[in-house]
Each structure stands twice: as structure tokens, then as C-alpha cells.
Amino acid sequence: MIAALYSRALRLRCPACGGGPVFTSWLRMVPACPVCGLHFDREIRGYWLGSYTLNIMLTEACWVVAFGVAAALTWPSPPWDTIEWGSVAVMVIVPFLIFPWTKTLYLAIDLTFRPAEEEDFTAPHEAGFPHSSTHR
């Protein structure tokens, strides 16, 4: 069951049921799953701080790998100016590129440790989704 949560999240689907779509654009997530009605903010103030933290951690991990590869490939005289500008590019571009996955992955992490309860759901038609679809 836990593997299913993360598999669905990596496919940018609702981690709880696999329904979707859960994004209306690259940076905008629907408020609740159009299939099962799970509230994505889980009704907690500051809920998405966890996904932002995950985004920062993954971005920093990408930077460490990129820096290590660049330094190793050009050692003993790395082009520090190029590495510096490449670092800036990684820190600006990567958070944007991985944003949707960090939102769904954080939701999957949260569901792993705090399973959804009845009050976490709204009927899909009440959440503003007139037609539910089950794209899995």
C-alpha cells in the first residue's frame, strides 16, 4: 500500500486513489482530488511548508551532485566561475522543474504517517468537480 502512495505521487496523481488530474497548471494544484475528494491541504495551517522543504532538500541534493561531477571532471583546475554560475542556474531552475512532484510526494509522505480520515474527504462534486474521471 505504501509503495502505491509513492508510485501515484510520482505519476502526479492523487496518492490516496490514483485519480487525477491533480494539477491545473505546472504550479497550481486543485484543492481536492477530483475522484476521491481528498483535501490536498489536509486542513492544517502551513501544511505545504513540508513540500517546500522537500523541494529545497532535493534541489540541494541536485546541486551537490552537479558540483561534485563538475569538480571531478575538471580537476585539478576546475573553472570556478563557470561552476559558480552553474550553481546559480541549478538553484533557480531545479525548484521550478520538480515543484509538482514535491507537492504530491509530500502528500504521500504525510499519508504514510497520518492516514486520511473521513473529515479529510469531500465528495468530488462538492469540491467543484462536476465530472469525476478515473485516469490511473
Side-chain angles (χ1 to χ4, degrees):
M1 179 64 183
I2 292 175
L5 287 173
Y6 295 97
S7 172
R8 293 170 185 157
L10 288 171
R11 290 183 284 138
L12 299 178
R13 312 304 279 174
C14 171
C17 73
V22 297
F23 285 91
T24 58
S25 68
W26 193 256
L27 299 175
R28 186 170 304 267
M29 191 174 208
V30 296
C33 176
V35 177
C36 71
L38 175 69
H39 293 279
F40 290 140
D41 64 5
R42 304 287 312 268
E43 303 295 326
I44 297 174
R45 183 179 162 102
Y47 177 74
W48 291 117
L49 186 59
S51 77
Y52 301 146
T53 303
L54 181 62
N55 192 299
I56 290 168
M57 291 184 335
L58 291 174
T59 298
E60 289 174 354
C62 288
W63 176 83
V64 166
V65 169
F67 180 84
V69 167
L73 291 177
T74 59
W75 200 259
S77 56
W80 292 115
D81 288 341
T82 304
I83 290 174
E84 182 178 359
W85 286 108
S87 295
V88 170
V90 166
M91 292 304 207
V92 170
I93 295 168
V94 171
F96 177 76
L97 292 178
I98 65 174
F99 181 80
W101 286 278
T102 58
K103 295 282 267 193
T104 56
L105 280 172
Y106 179 70
L107 185 57
I109 291 168
D110 187 47
L111 288 169
T112 299
F113 293 101
R114 192 171 59 99
E117 297 175 357
E118 189 173 328
E119 61 268 7
D120 291 323
F121 293 90
T122 301
H125 67 279
E126 293 174 16
F129 305 104
H131 305 289
S132 295
S133 61
T134 55
H135 303 288
R136 293 180 190 215

